[in-house]
Amino acid sequence: MNKIEVEHLNFYYHNKQALFDVSLPVADRQITALIGPSGCGKSTFLRCLNRMNDTIPGTRAEGRIQLDGVDVLDPALNVADLRRRVGMVFQKPNPFPQSIYDNVAFGPRALKMNVGLDRVVEQSLRDAALWDEVKDRLKGPALELSLGEQQRLCIARVLAVRPEVILMDEPCSALDPIATLKIEELMQKLKEKYTIVIVTHNMQQASRASDSTGFFWLGKLVEFSETRQIFLRPRQKQTEDYITGRFG
């Protein structure tokens, strides 16, 4: 079963086309990885899924992105509700300069989800595998956490508003190998409840952590398949050349 269906997506920054006729299914409660060299359209594609690109003047998208059958690109769609359903974790941890508790409580408070807030904060931190490390210092500054802890805090902040899909744009690029492994282990637990789409430059991470993988090149989706197929028996020579390091 697919949570998201992308059909013939084209995307433009003013007159420059960044994505070309991309069609891609995102399976429910699985991890979909997007790989490819810098500037190939991976992050642009990811940001289309919750219309984060709307914040950039002069951009436009054509095609269809269906979330449970509802077209994400419909101008009448409530974008705030979409971004609650489809949360995003960014490349660099971006905790607010507030307490750990207030970081996690931020979204529920903004959405007037104030009932049982303490329980929501605790459960979100537990789901982000951070509770045991911070439960005795919830009122302490979030910016004093390590980078790995900050990234898990940002994941907890997303989880607190009860999303259905989590987008991750190179969430481990600023982290050391130990913190990276913790995020990968966390993703495996999270996919029991959530659909995850991750952009990564790390081939090993894509092969270890994902169920399906799409290879982007110059704004086009070259190949999409089960991760095992992509890494062991790619159908396209261009895919094989990239994952074996011959170019890119």
Side-chain angles (χ1 to χ4, degrees):
M1 178 179 169
N2 294 327
K3 183 70 174 177
I4 300 174
E5 292 274 2
V6 181
E7 301 170 349
H8 306 295
L9 178 65
N10 296 288
F11 188 81
Y12 302 84
Y13 293 99
H14 296 284
N15 294 324
K16 181 181 178 182
Q17 189 166 358
L19 294 174
F20 298 82
D21 196 35
V22 176
S23 295
L24 176 70
V26 176
D28 189 29
R29 298 191 185 187
Q30 289 196 7
I31 300 172
T32 300
L34 309 177
I35 62 173
S38 297
C40 69
K42 307 183 301 294
S43 292
T44 294
F45 176 86
L46 193 74
R47 292 166 64 93
C48 285
L49 300 181
N50 69 346
R51 290 189 37 189
M52 284 293 291
N53 289 320
D54 286 12
T55 62
I56 305 172
T59 60
R60 74 181 193 279
E62 299 170 349
R64 297 181 73 187
I65 302 173
Q66 295 192 87
L67 173 64
D68 291 335
V70 176
D71 189 3
V72 165
L73 299 180
D74 183 348
L77 188 77
N78 183 321
V79 177
D81 183 59
L82 170 67
R83 291 177 187 158
R84 184 199 65 77
R85 295 180 64 193
V86 184
M88 192 157 194
V89 178
F90 296 92
Q91 184 172 355
K92 293 182 180 179
N94 60 342
F96 303 138
Q98 300 172 343
S99 71
I100 294 167
Y101 183 100
D102 288 338
N103 264 268
V104 182
F106 181 87
R109 284 171 174 160
L111 295 169
K112 304 293 192 287
M113 298 163 57
N114 294 318
V115 177
L117 192 56
D118 288 352
R119 180 176 50 80
V120 169
V121 169
E122 178 178 343
Q123 189 59 53
S124 300
L125 288 167
R126 285 188 182 279
D127 288 348
L130 190 59
W131 174 253
D132 289 340
E133 293 165 57
V134 302
K135 62 184 178 182
D136 297 325
R137 47 179 173 144
L138 294 177
K139 298 301 181 182
L143 294 176
E144 290 185 1
L145 297 174
S146 69
L147 279 178
E149 290 170 337
Q150 287 183 23
Q151 192 65 300
R152 280 182 282 147
L153 177 65
C154 292
I155 292 171
R157 193 171 66 197
V158 168
L159 298 180
V161 297
R162 302 171 192 163
E164 299 162 36
V165 180
I166 303 173
L167 310 179
M168 296 185 168
D169 193 358
E170 294 189 63
C172 303
S173 64
L175 307 183
D176 62 45
I178 294 175
T180 294
L181 183 59
K182 286 186 177 181
I183 296 292
E184 290 181 12
E185 290 173 345
L186 173 59
M187 287 166 55
Q188 297 304 314
K189 294 178 182 177
L190 290 175
K191 78 171 185 178
E192 296 173 7
K193 299 180 182 178
Y194 308 98
T195 300
I196 299 174
V197 186
I198 178 172
V199 164
T200 179
H201 276 109
N202 187 324
M203 296 297 99
Q204 290 77 22
Q205 181 172 74
S207 64
R208 282 193 304 261
S210 69
D211 300 290
S212 300
T213 298
F215 168 52
F216 280 76
W217 176 256
L218 297 178
K220 298 178 181 179
L221 180 64
V222 175
E223 186 169 354
F224 178 82
S225 189
E226 291 183 0
T227 295
R228 184 176 176 84
Q229 170 86 36
I230 289 286
F231 282 91
L232 296 181
R233 297 182 303 278
R235 296 186 183 93
Q236 304 297 326
K237 186 176 185 303
Q238 198 172 27
T239 308
E240 182 180 359
D241 287 348
Y242 180 73
I243 63 177
T244 56
R246 293 188 190 125
F247 77 90

